[in-house]
Amino acid sequence: MSQQIRITVGDSSYAAELNDSPTAKAIYDALPIKGSGSRWGEEIYFAIGVDEKLAPGARDEVEVGGLAYWPPGKAFCIFFGPTPASVGDEPRAASEVNHVGRIVDDVSSLTSAPNGVQVVIEPV
């Protein structure tokens, strides 16, 4: 069963869900989480203090609205378009990530989020 969460990026709020993976459970158990988001193309990421290993099935391909955990940076990642690692229009992480969920709302407004934007992840 997926866990419902809310992600607030600056002044915008998005409904999201975490999947049933061990990494997603570790993130959910650490909520609420706040941080200053860094931009990397059309990805926002920030360290969250959760320490998980790379999961079986981890991959660098991500969907628009995809949520992931990047083990090398202990970072939560929000993907909403191409990144510097993308081959085309699809989001692509810098390296393999653990896929932990997705934003269910329209993510197009994330393109205006500045570097350093405040991000809050909380349970619903």
Side-chain angles (χ1 to χ4, degrees):
M1 171 182 274
S2 62
Q3 297 288 340
Q4 304 303 306
I5 60 171
R6 176 147 308 278
I7 301 174
T8 303
V9 179
D11 295 331
S12 299
S13 191
Y14 305 89
E17 58 188 18
L18 295 175
N19 61 31
D20 295 328
S21 69
T23 303
K25 181 179 181 342
I27 291 169
Y28 189 82
D29 289 346
L31 297 180
I33 297 171
K34 298 178 184 181
S36 178
S38 296
R39 288 282 305 257
W40 191 61
E42 294 193 7
E43 172 192 354
I44 295 172
Y45 67 95
F46 64 102
I48 60 171
V50 171
D51 189 8
E52 290 288 312
K53 303 275 189 245
L54 194 63
R59 59 191 190 284
D60 61 356
E61 300 91 6
V62 188
E63 296 178 1
V64 170
L67 303 174
Y69 174 80
W70 186 52
K74 296 181 175 64
F76 187 84
C77 309
I78 304 167
F79 293 90
F80 50 96
T83 68
S86 295
V87 177
D89 291 337
E90 87 292 344
R92 187 174 295 264
S95 60
E96 293 178 329
V97 292
N98 298 349
H99 292 249
V100 297
R102 66 186 183 95
I103 292 179
V104 297
D105 289 333
D106 178 15
V107 296
S108 60
S109 62
L110 285 171
T111 59
S112 62
N115 196 44
V117 67
Q118 181 72 24
V119 182
V120 179
I121 308 166
E122 55 196 342
V124 174

